[in-house]
Amino acid sequence: MPAVTVENPLALPRVAAPADAVARPVLAVTTAPSGFEGEGFPVRRAFAGISYQHLDPFIMMDQMGEVEYAPGEPKGTPWHPHRGFETVTYIIDGIFDHQDSHGGGGTITNGDTQWMTAGSGLLHIEAPPESLVLSGGLFHGLQLWVNLPAKDKMMAPKYQDIRGGSVQLLTSPDGGALLRVIAGELDGHQGPGATHTPITMVHATLAPGAEVTLPWREDFNGLAYVLAGRGTVGAERRPVHLGQAAVFGAGSSVTVRADDKQDSRTPDLEVVLLGGRPIREPMAHYGPFVMNTRDELMQAFEDFQKGRLGTVPAVHGMTETGPQG
């Protein structure tokens, strides 16, 4: 799991919650069910079973892979529409191409993030490049959906391509944790991702036995999802492992600890920490559209069916088969 790493974490800025910080309790630990997305790549539905009142402003998150493809096996998604939210695609291992009906697109690879504000809507496709299809190889990533407030849902679509080298790297006081701030800020250190809805997104790698207690904004919610390894969350040390999510309650700090022993395939504990300011607006979500009312959802489907979200570029010789997730 390379993502972005450093040889000597102790050369990085160090962060820790102040001594008087109020520890956030762990309200729940859930296990992600497994499924398939797009043309058949394996995913874990990271937030399945978590009430939206604890997720807001996040809608869903899929862990894509980790999978070792044989030659000819790599898969992506067909063309599909989006409206009303932002998608955050974080590639940890492997490579993915993306393109939209407005002419945007690019390639993201180890440690890169592609941030797409769907806004008023577009058609989009994600697929492995031909070279990866031919060779096979490791693929692992995340896709997070972040809601937009009503006032921003119909804004013009746009992208941010965040290269792995631009993320803010931090560590814990003893150097046992490498913290990659992808978006938002942590203890005054700003990540590169600019968000309409205030959030913090951190990918943390903890060495065996390492523990980190981070300051966490009190007006944000708090979530942790385990990408690999095993450990505990919260001051009460609730056990968590690969594919599990933890929901934190109110407070001003979050704690994560790696077990002293990890398996040989996963030497460290890998966790994504998420926090955001709840939007607290009605949400109507169906398939690839996230709006505020049922009428707005129906309008989104009508606009898609009538081609108002864009058309598939003819160069691909592909036709739209219907809404995808």
Side-chain angles (χ1 to χ4, degrees):
M1 186 176 294
V4 177
T5 189
V6 294
E7 289 188 10
N8 180 18
L10 288 172
L12 300 172
R14 307 181 198 191
V15 297
D20 60 352
V22 178
R24 285 178 174 245
V26 178
L27 302 181
V29 172
T30 61
T31 300
S34 297
F36 294 91
E37 185 57 89
E39 296 171 341
F41 60 83
V43 299
R44 286 185 174 90
R45 307 292 190 191
F47 294 154
I50 300 176
S51 168
Y52 183 63
Q53 73 179 54
H54 296 310
L55 290 180
D56 186 11
F58 307 110
I59 301 162
M60 57 155 277
M61 186 169 73
D62 283 345
Q63 180 180 9
M64 306 180 294
E66 182 177 5
V67 59
E68 183 77 46
Y69 283 122
E73 284 188 342
K75 298 175 175 67
T77 69
W79 283 94
H80 56 280
H82 287 306
R83 172 180 279 181
F85 63 101
E86 299 184 289
T87 66
V88 181
T89 306
Y90 174 48
I91 300 300
I92 301 167
D93 287 295
I95 187 169
F96 230 26
D97 289 339
H98 58 92
Q99 185 180 7
D100 73 31
S101 53
H102 291 209
T107 298
I108 48 176
T109 186
N110 301 347
D112 294 342
T113 301
Q114 182 247 314
W115 202 294
M116 183 181 78
T117 303
S120 60
L122 42 65
L123 304 181
H124 188 239
I125 190 171
E126 298 156 309
E130 184 178 359
S131 59
L132 180 63
V133 175
L134 291 173
S135 67
L138 186 62
F139 182 79
H140 189 198
L142 285 177
Q143 188 169 93
L144 172 70
W145 289 15
V146 186
N147 202 2
L148 286 169
K151 66 181 180 64
D152 292 331
K153 283 193 177 293
M154 297 298 287
M155 69 183 299
K158 70 172 189 176
Y159 282 104
Q160 299 172 68
D161 278 314
I162 302 170
R163 297 302 160 190
S166 70
V167 301
Q168 174 69 64
L169 299 179
L170 307 169
T171 191
S172 52
D174 63 0
L178 175 61
L179 308 167
R180 307 167 187 86
V181 184
I182 297 168
E185 64 89 24
L186 183 64
D187 198 27
H189 300 276
Q190 191 74 36
T195 65
H196 293 276
T197 303
I199 74 165
T200 293
M201 181 178 184
V202 178
H203 174 194
T205 300
L206 282 78
E211 180 176 293
V212 62
T213 297
L214 301 174
W216 210 250
R217 282 180 52 164
E218 293 187 68
D219 60 336
F220 279 18
N221 62 353
L223 301 157
Y225 177 74
V226 181
L227 292 165
R230 58 183 59 248
T232 63
V233 287
E236 61 270 50
R237 293 195 173 183
R238 287 278 296 273
V240 289
H241 58 72
L242 166 65
Q244 290 192 313
V247 179
F248 291 98
S252 56
S253 71
V254 295
T255 296
V256 180
R257 185 184 189 280
D259 282 359
D260 293 336
K261 292 186 178 180
Q262 305 287 334
D263 62 50
S264 57
R265 188 172 179 275
T266 307
D268 302 310
L269 173 65
E270 304 281 351
V271 179
V272 170
L273 296 166
L274 292 166
R277 182 189 297 157
I279 296 174
R280 296 192 177 96
E281 293 177 350
M283 185 185 71
H285 171 206
Y286 189 82
F289 304 125
V290 183
M291 305 304 292
N292 293 99
T293 68
R294 179 179 173 81
D295 286 346
E296 290 171 347
L297 277 183
M298 294 174 67
Q299 184 65 53
F301 274 105
E302 179 182 327
D303 289 347
F304 164 59
Q305 290 164 353
K306 292 187 175 179
R308 296 173 187 146
L309 301 189
T311 56
V312 174
V315 67
H316 288 270
M318 304 171 72
T319 58
E320 178 58 61
T321 57
Q324 304 292 321

